[in-house]
Amino acid sequence: MSISKKLIIISIVVVVIISLIVFFPYIKAEYLTFRYGDEFSGLEQQTNMLEKAKFYKIISYSKDKATVFYVSDTGDLITFKKENNEWEMNEWKTIWSTSGSADGFYWPYYR
């Protein structure tokens, strides 16, 4: 095999690895949202302050704890804990806001 073919193969492998690293969190969130999304529809209303979300993505999920990113006029990361077989809000962080009152960054990035 010539050196140029080896360089092409190495370049392709590097691009594939970098792509997997960059896109894995999105793939994971899509899978978790597809699998468990119905459990978290509307639960952003437990804050008594947020508008109904335009969409949401489940970032992490276990049998007793989940982290969900809700997007409306703000991007809000809400952690839920399961108590008495119900999801209850445990922690709430506003990551970004269209009004400019919050301007943070979280990966995976959704806006």
Side-chain angles (χ1 to χ4, degrees), residues 8-96:
I8 290 172
I9 291 172
I10 289 171
S11 297
I12 291 171
V13 168
V14 167
V15 167
V16 167
I17 290 171
I18 290 172
S19 295
L20 286 174
I21 290 169
V22 169
F23 292 111
F24 177 76
Y26 292 102
I27 295 167
K28 178 183 173 190
E30 290 299 325
Y31 170 75
L32 291 174
T33 303
F34 175 77
R35 179 101 192 260
Y36 304 108
D38 291 343
E39 296 179 38
F40 298 94
S41 178
L43 293 188
E44 75 278 11
Q45 299 303 300
Q46 288 183 13
T47 65
N48 295 317
M49 293 182 71
L50 294 178
E51 294 180 22
K52 182 155 176 56
K54 294 175 186 169
F55 71 92
Y56 59 94
K57 300 293 177 182
I58 300 173
I59 305 301
S60 67
Y61 183 94
S62 69
K63 66 178 184 166
D64 59 352
K65 186 177 179 182
T67 303
V68 183
F69 192 72
Y70 291 93
V71 175
S72 57
D73 289 338
T74 59
D76 299 279
L77 193 64
I78 302 177
T79 302
F80 295 94
K81 287 195 174 182
K82 196 172 255 191
E83 296 179 16
N84 299 320
N85 213 25
E86 296 288 328
W87 290 108
E88 299 292 331
M89 183 180 69
N90 183 55
E91 185 178 3
W92 166 31
K93 295 180 188 175
T94 298
I95 306 298
W96 59 262

